[in-house]
Amino acid sequence: RLAPSDPHPHYLQGKAARRQGRSAAAIAHFRTALRLDPADLRSLTFLAQILAADRDVQIRNGTEAVALATPSM
């Protein structure tokens, strides 16, 4: 049975896409997981890592990576 509000499938799809070198797809899945559960640290970590260090300059976004990795005060 599908659970549309469950972030875990998006986290898993994001990990799979990242492993396959499909960074844009991974980002989309991690963003969806975080929209469903803003406290999902696994998705947050993977998203920040991709944005910080992807080989594709069009995907890499250091400013956003730092903002994601910096706790809100």
Side-chain angles (χ1 to χ4, degrees):
R1 187 170 178 149
L2 296 176
S5 62
D6 185 0
H8 193 66
H10 291 285
Y11 164 73
L12 293 175
Q13 288 179 318
K15 279 184 61 176
R18 181 176 185 240
R19 202 172 21 240
Q20 296 168 349
R22 298 182 307 116
S23 296
I27 287 170
H29 285 295
F30 292 134
R31 287 191 194 283
T32 300
L34 287 167
R35 183 176 43 77
L36 295 170
D37 180 7
D40 181 358
L41 293 179
R42 296 173 304 177
S43 293
L44 181 75
T45 300
F46 277 109
L47 177 58
Q49 287 175 347
I50 293 169
L51 292 173
D54 199 85
R55 291 179 183 173
D56 186 340
V57 296
Q58 293 183 325
I59 288 177
R60 197 168 48 238
N61 184 336
T63 302
E64 185 180 0
V66 169
L68 287 168
T70 305
S72 299
M73 302 243 186

